[in-house]
Amino acid sequence: MTAREAEAYWRSPDPLPDGRPRAARGDEFPAGASEPPAAVTRREVLQLLGVTASLAGFAGCRRPVETILPYVEAPEEIVPGVPQYYATTMPLGLDACGVVVESHEGRPTKIEGNELHPSSRGGTSAALQTAIYGLYDPDRSASVLRSGAKANWDGFTAAWKELEAAHLAEGGRGLALLAEPFSSPTLARLTAAFRERFPRARLVCWEPGTRENLLAGLERAFGRPLRPVHHLDRARVVLALDSDLLVSDPEAVRHARELADGRRLLSTHEEPSRLWVVESELSPTGVVADERLRLRSRLVGAFVAALARALARLGLPLEGAGELPWDLAERIGVEPRLLEALARDLLAHRGRSLLA
């Protein structure tokens, strides 16, 4: 290629009036464009960026304003800077979890599982770890409120005495006490005293996410109120039906430890347990499952009926299973081979299978 041909190809988008490319003139870019500015170095730019990020983070933090008074008589068992540990039980609705709490100068700062407690066995969940922040929530009410205004306990006692006389005259008719589900013996004793004093009052327990359907189903099946207690370490086959046993379940911490124990290779050369999951959305339990089937929640009941039909066909006597449609699995979009494999796995480990 000749120099003239090179000039024809290597031109900038706006050639000079004489037709020559800017590179040929040597002034395609302004003088000093390829050199960094002398006033600001790269190190200074990085320092400015670091300071800006630090100020942005500092603006998002606020230090609580409080008056701290020294001990008049310092407790002998408290040494500033040396943490103390105490065992307690964290209530989780109708369940509870044993934990060990780290405390500094009487203020809890960290929660860990209690290795000696059967519900945690040294482990905790995200809900337990973050529960301690509720003690330091700046929006938490520090006093009694009345119509949104700050009050005191003496005012509450005086206001309640005016209402108590009318409620006692009618046995508590029209009075309702709203609480969250609990398993605390202290709260049970207090609510019993409340019912005795106001026999016609109502005690209503409510929470956003409940297990009422599960408890109602167990009561309908067994004729009395019961709660399920799963022992995943004793089961060789576990079938979770739209149930997140490892995270959402109230006893998820214990389930995780027991499932890990059941899937660990033992010295007796026993096979690790298998986990089957049928669910509508991907859950942490479904992630670790050996076999996972995605199915709409409204079809889980039909899946159980199809499984009962498959078990009856393999020789397990189940009342009413023979009357179910033989093609129920195809109707809900489940492969018959998968359903039969699950049924055979459950029958092969009869007495050591768990459905949750």
Side-chain angles (χ1 to χ4, degrees):
M1 180 181 295
T2 63
R4 186 178 297 277
E5 290 174 344
E7 291 182 1
Y9 283 102
W10 294 96
R11 290 189 178 185
S12 59
D14 50 341
L16 296 175
D18 57 3
R20 290 180 297 163
R22 290 182 180 271
R25 289 277 302 273
D27 57 352
E28 183 174 5
F29 299 101
S34 60
E35 301 294 333
V40 181
T41 63
R42 179 175 178 273
R43 182 183 296 276
E44 292 175 342
V45 171
L46 293 177
Q47 289 176 348
L48 291 174
L49 291 176
V51 172
T52 304
S54 301
L55 291 177
F58 179 76
C61 303
R62 58 175 177 174
R63 183 177 180 179
V65 179
E66 58 181 342
T67 302
I68 302 177
L69 299 178
Y71 289 114
V72 178
E73 295 181 1
E76 296 181 359
E77 66 276 5
I78 295 181
V79 179
V82 178
Q84 288 185 317
Y85 301 89
Y86 60 91
T88 184
T89 302
M90 290 283 293
L92 299 172
L94 299 179
D95 300 273
C97 189
V99 297
V100 175
V101 181
E102 178 182 347
S103 176
H104 290 264
E105 285 77 54
R107 297 192 174 194
T109 56
K110 190 69 170 67
I111 294 178
E112 294 294 346
N114 189 348
E115 297 181 356
L116 303 179
H117 200 282
S119 65
S120 61
R121 298 174 57 181
T124 56
S125 63
L128 291 174
Q129 290 285 350
T130 57
I132 198 169
Y133 292 108
L135 299 176
Y136 308 102
D137 187 358
D139 296 329
R140 180 178 179 179
S141 178
S143 62
V144 181
L145 300 178
R146 182 173 185 178
S147 300
K150 187 176 180 179
N152 52 44
W153 285 107
D154 294 336
F156 171 80
T157 303
W160 169 246
K161 286 184 176 181
E162 297 178 0
L163 301 174
E164 184 183 20
H167 290 307
L168 286 174
E170 298 184 2
R173 182 180 180 181
L175 177 62
L177 181 62
L178 179 62
E180 61 182 3
F182 58 88
S183 57
S184 169
T186 301
L187 290 179
R189 176 176 55 82
L190 293 176
T191 53
F194 175 81
R195 288 178 178 274
E196 183 179 356
R197 189 170 181 80
F198 304 100
R200 302 180 66 180
R202 295 183 59 189
L203 174 61
V204 181
C205 293
W206 181 88
E207 63 179 347
T210 65
R211 309 177 73 194
E212 292 180 358
N213 293 336
L214 173 64
L215 300 178
L218 289 174
E219 185 175 1
R220 182 177 179 182
F222 297 97
R224 56 195 178 100
L226 297 172
R227 292 179 54 239
V229 179
H230 304 309
H231 296 281
L232 275 65
D233 55 338
R234 305 177 187 176
R236 294 294 92 197
V237 178
V238 179
L239 172 59
L241 298 169
D242 218 0
S243 175
D244 188 8
L245 296 172
L246 304 182
V247 173
S248 301
D249 194 276
E251 298 188 13
V253 176
R254 180 177 62 84
H255 289 166
R257 291 300 179 102
E258 291 182 351
L259 182 65
D261 292 341
R263 295 169 73 86
R264 189 174 292 116
L265 292 175
L266 304 177
S267 58
T268 57
H269 303 286
E270 190 175 17
E271 294 183 1
S273 63
R274 278 186 296 279
L275 176 61
W276 298 71
V277 174
V278 180
E279 59 185 3
S280 57
E281 295 183 357
L282 184 62
S283 67
T285 305
V287 170
V288 301
D290 298 290
E291 296 289 342
R292 176 182 177 272
L293 174 64
R294 186 177 65 177
L295 193 68
R296 294 181 179 179
S297 297
R298 62 182 180 85
L299 299 178
V300 173
F303 176 85
V304 176
L307 178 60
R309 172 72 179 180
L311 290 171
R313 188 167 58 250
L314 294 176
L316 183 65
L318 293 175
E319 183 179 355
E323 303 175 1
L324 297 171
W326 62 271
D327 60 342
L328 187 57
E330 291 87 342
R331 294 185 184 182
I332 61 177
V334 177
E335 294 185 7
R337 292 183 300 175
L338 185 145
L339 193 64
E340 184 177 356
L342 173 59
R344 291 186 180 277
D345 201 10
L346 292 174
L347 280 179
H349 299 85
R350 187 173 179 179
R352 303 192 67 184
S353 300
L354 173 64
L355 275 69

